[in-house]
Amino acid sequence: MMKRLISPLMIVFVSAISFHSSAQQIDSMMSVYAEGFPKERVHVHFDKNIYNKEETIWYKIYVMDPEGPTFLSKNVYVEWYDTTGKVMRQAVSPLFQATARGSFELPATYNGNFVRMKVFTKWMLNDEPEFIYQKDITINTGAVYDAKKEVVPLTRVDVFAEGGTLVNGIESKMAFKATNQFGFPVKIKGLLVNDKNKVIDTIRVRHDGMGSFQVFPKPGESYSIKWSDPFGKSGVTPLPAAKQDGATISVSTDNEFATVRVERTKNAPETFRNMYLLVHMSQNLQFKVSLNATEKTLLNAKIPIAEMPTGVLQFSLFGSDWMPIAERIVFINNRTHEFTAKIIPQLTTLTKRGKNVFDVFVSDTTFTNMSVSVTDASFDATSGASIYSDMLLSNELRGRIHNPGYYLSSDSDSVMANLDLVMQTNGWRKFDWDKLRAGIAPTLKYGVETGMMNIGGKVFGLKNVSTASLMLNLIVQHKDSSRNLLFVPVDKDGTFNDFTQMFYDTARIFYNFNQNKTLTDIVQVKFENGLLRQGYKTVDYTNGNEPFVWNDSLSRIRMNGFLQLQEEWKKRSQYKTLQEVIVKARVKSKEQVLDERYSSGLFAGGDAQTFDFVNDPAAAGALDILSYLQGRVPGLMISGQGTGMSLSWRGSTPDLYLDQFPLGVQQIQSLNVRDIAMVKVFRPPFFGSSGGGAGGAIAIYTKKGGDFKGDNNGSNKGMMNTILTGYSQFKEFYNPQYDNPNENPETDIRTTLYWNPYVMTNKKSPRFRIQFFNNDFSKKLQVVLEGISADGRMTRIVKPLEQPQ
């Protein structure tokens, strides 16, 4: 982004611009930060905003940096957390044109009213945690609302001086924000009073708990807001104490200019006689201005903004010693962030299983990458965020922004005025000016993932072995039984890497050393996939779990109606499955065969969940047994890591057994999962335990001779092998074809009618046709289209599909 030196014609108070060494240092260090630490931003497009329990969440991830679709990272990571803050699933995907698709199946046993999604690249972990993408997704469990359990709201009111400080004798704008303990807005009423309880002004909320007022602080006086909320609670919020002398900054904008007003007190220190103003966006310096305040106490400027890109613009005011005095941010919206897309209906048939066709048309010749969903429009369609707000607003500000998508939905005067309240009541990304003055570059703990996954690792124990021409022979056996033969050279330090392989789920790696087949007996080979290691994690909901807010009663009724139909379908499916089991009861499952082969006495049969480690590749690739069980056994709670790991089930600790003999948790963790044949998890109570078994039991069985045969096969016999994980595998969205509406007798109860994470257009193909069939019930549908272009612009369309009259 080009730096501009402001012209004297642009402002009325600028004399010759003269910066000393500190200015040059700050200027150059801003360039270092902009070029060496560009900020990546994430947006996730979901197929809908509210889900019934046991449904699948479909999503598309977009990753951008200040220049457009990210050119930095090649992989993106996703973590899912339950209402207690414990991780439910971790996933990793390759980025295709700065995007990735995925799905998350809500567990059948999950009864929480939300799940939290966290999305990041490895590079983003260098940033502050507040700027990592997180979203809480509402889950409808069908539970009846209980007013007795309603959380009592606790209102707080925060006040903010424009520019950051109050100074005696200078009138300043104050902004306030009233929220409850969960960050939701509260509509308060209040009075501005001084320390003698004299009423100075009336305080009114203008939008979502926010408002502003003017104050003229006088020496020896203090000020506060006396407020009351709609719940009958009242309180007092003091204004920050005013400084005796100093300077303030205020900024207002129109379509052409940002008008900056700088005012100092008459007796301000000498460092306030010559001040400096830096105007910057996305770490890039836009303007730098020298302010000659030797003779004047009030200075005004007009900064041209008509040609600026959309985003948060920062104004930083410094004294002549380059110590920061005040800062203010505004939002510039010149619509430079958008490209135009159209949804053109071709056929709308909202009868049972009716056929629907529409086109996505982009006249722009730039390549675009979009996603589209079609859902039942009778559900609560209110989404707090959009691709615009996530990429341009939320990623730059600290703290919760209620309904951020609203502020970029229009450029009307009222919306822009409310957006400026957000600018004044939220923190933002800031430079550490002390570090910039000292020439300290950003500290980066994580490097950029410039490549996708690979098969790599290190050979240990080569101290007395010549590494000249040492090569690993690898046979990569994929889930579909296909194989790839690789010859990978080993470096002097024992490391090796092959970047030709990319796979999903897991693959079994067979290996030995070329021309030295016995070397595997004296060395250890450790394999890695080149991706970020993700261990067991928890998150801390600092303000407690967010309340379940769903005000649309008609939407709730509609959603519960679909939930009831889904539950009825599940019962019918279970009945059919039971009938099939009765008919085919003579055929034993693999788990039954294992159970008869390994367990005996009180451990045989029983109320237990059995895990087949012989035939489950995911088990062979697990770090340890407890990591494998995490999230697979309803009610079993596994917390901590390493030697501090603990287990709990219904308030008690499960008993652990190895080959039906008691064992401790540390010994369990040290077991090699490749030596395990079967794990049985007995639900509480387990009567085989001498202590009563209130916490159930986990019985682990090691392999017998015949069960080791699966470790080698065919041409791979005699080769060492291991399991390596790849990218996460996701479901494909099922789009039924009802050319014959009566072909499938099952009731169609889909709430998402269509989902396509990759809708693409370019100069030669500006039109993308979409075809889908309605379910058995929906009468009004809604289309949501979002996406990005190759040059970094975005689009978002929300359009209803209704039957033509």
Side-chain angles (χ1 to χ4, degrees), residues 159-167 172-174 240-243 247-250 315 325-329 424 428 430:
V159 292
F160 309 86
E162 184 177 17
T165 57
L166 284 177
V167 179
S172 295
K173 180 190 289 186
M174 299 291 298
K243 294 182 178 181
T248 63
I249 185 174
S250 63
F315 297 81
I325 297 173
E327 290 192 281
R328 170 76 149 95
I329 61 172
Q424 295 180 69
W428 63 90
K430 293 186 178 183

Side-chain angles (χ1 to χ4, degrees), residues 626-640:
L626 297 183
S627 297
Y628 173 82
L629 294 178
Q630 178 72 43
R632 285 180 164 87
V633 181
L636 177 63
M637 309 300 292
I638 301 175
S639 59

Side-chain angles (χ1 to χ4, degrees), residues 262-295:
V262 177
E263 186 173 1
R264 69 166 178 86
T265 56
K266 183 177 180 180
N267 298 320
E270 190 65 29
T271 55
F272 290 78
R273 307 293 167 145
N274 286 286
M275 292 178 282
Y276 304 100
L277 180 68
L278 299 184
V279 184
H280 49 104
M281 176 184 287
S282 299
Q283 303 184 106
N284 288 280
L285 185 61
Q286 302 289 315
F287 300 102
K288 51 185 180 181
V289 183
S290 175
L291 310 179
N292 187 349
T294 305
E295 302 295 332

Side-chain angles (χ1 to χ4, degrees), residues 327-356:
E327 290 192 281
R328 170 76 149 95
I329 61 172
V330 299
F331 195 88
I332 306 299
N333 188 358
N334 291 322
R335 296 292 174 185
T336 59
H337 60 286
E338 296 176 298
F339 70 86
T340 301
K342 295 181 180 179
I343 294 175
I344 306 172
Q346 301 293 339
L347 175 65
T348 303
T349 313
L350 299 186
T351 56
K352 177 179 178 179
R353 305 190 181 189
K355 186 176 182 179
N356 296 272

Side-chain angles (χ1 to χ4, degrees), residues 230-471:
F231 316 105
K233 303 294 177 63
S234 60
V236 177
T237 301
L239 271 61
K243 294 182 178 181
Q244 182 62 34
D245 287 295
T248 63
I249 185 174
S250 63
V251 183
S252 60
T253 62
D254 56 30
N255 292 334
E256 299 293 329
F257 296 97
T259 302
V260 183
R261 175 188 173 99
V262 177
E263 186 173 1
R264 69 166 178 86
T265 56
K266 183 177 180 180
N267 298 320
E270 190 65 29
T271 55
F272 290 78
R273 307 293 167 145
N274 286 286
M275 292 178 282
Y276 304 100
L277 180 68
L278 299 184
V279 184
H280 49 104
M281 176 184 287
S282 299
Q283 303 184 106
N284 288 280
L285 185 61
Q286 302 289 315
F287 300 102
K288 51 185 180 181
V289 183
S290 175
L291 310 179
N292 187 349
T294 305
E295 302 295 332
K296 296 182 178 180
T297 59
L298 177 62
L299 306 170
N300 291 282
K302 285 186 177 295
I303 307 294
I305 60 174
E307 301 300 321
M308 283 189 176
T310 302
V312 175
L313 186 64
Q314 303 186 30
F315 297 81
S316 301
L317 181 67
F318 299 87
S320 59
D321 56 358
W322 282 94
M323 296 296 293
I325 297 173
E327 290 192 281
R328 170 76 149 95
I329 61 172
V330 299
F331 195 88
I332 306 299
N333 188 358
N334 291 322
R335 296 292 174 185
T336 59
H337 60 286
E338 296 176 298
F339 70 86
T340 301
K342 295 181 180 179
I343 294 175
I344 306 172
Q346 301 293 339
L347 175 65
T348 303
T349 313
L350 299 186
T351 56
K352 177 179 178 179
R353 305 190 181 189
K355 186 176 182 179
N356 296 272
V357 181
F358 65 85
D359 290 341
V360 175
F361 179 76
V362 180
S363 57
D364 198 301
T365 59
T366 306
F367 176 84
T368 68
N369 182 346
M370 300 172 287
S371 48
V372 64
S373 68
V374 183
T375 58
D376 188 307
S378 61
F379 300 148
D380 186 346
T382 303
S383 175
S386 69
I387 191 170
Y388 302 142
S389 65
D390 278 342
M391 293 297 188
L392 300 170
L393 187 64
S394 300
N395 185 265
E396 295 293 322
L397 301 185
R398 300 177 187 274
R400 182 190 180 99
I401 306 173
H402 181 68
N403 192 21
Y406 155 80
Y407 299 102
L408 289 170
S409 62
S410 166
D411 53 4
S412 66
D413 291 343
S414 61
V415 173
M416 295 306 294
N418 294 335
L419 175 55
D420 197 54
L421 283 175
V422 175
M423 297 294 104
Q424 295 180 69
T425 56
N426 284 77
W428 63 90
R429 290 183 182 273
K430 293 186 178 183
F431 282 112
D432 185 329
W433 298 112
D434 291 336
K435 286 186 177 181
L436 265 67
R437 280 198 307 272
I440 300 174
T443 301
L444 303 177
K445 182 180 178 181
Y446 299 93
V448 177
E449 282 191 312
T450 57
M452 294 185 177
M453 70 158 292
N454 61 81
I455 298 177
K458 188 171 184 178
V459 181
F460 296 90
L462 291 174
K463 186 175 182 180
N464 299 318
V465 178
S466 173
T467 57
S469 302
L470 188 62
M471 186 169 292

Side-chain angles (χ1 to χ4, degrees), residues 5-15 17 257 301-304:
L5 188 65
I6 196 165
S7 162
L9 296 176
M10 296 178 182
I11 55 175
V12 298
F13 59 86
V14 172
S15 60
I17 297 177
F257 296 97
K302 285 186 177 295
I303 307 294

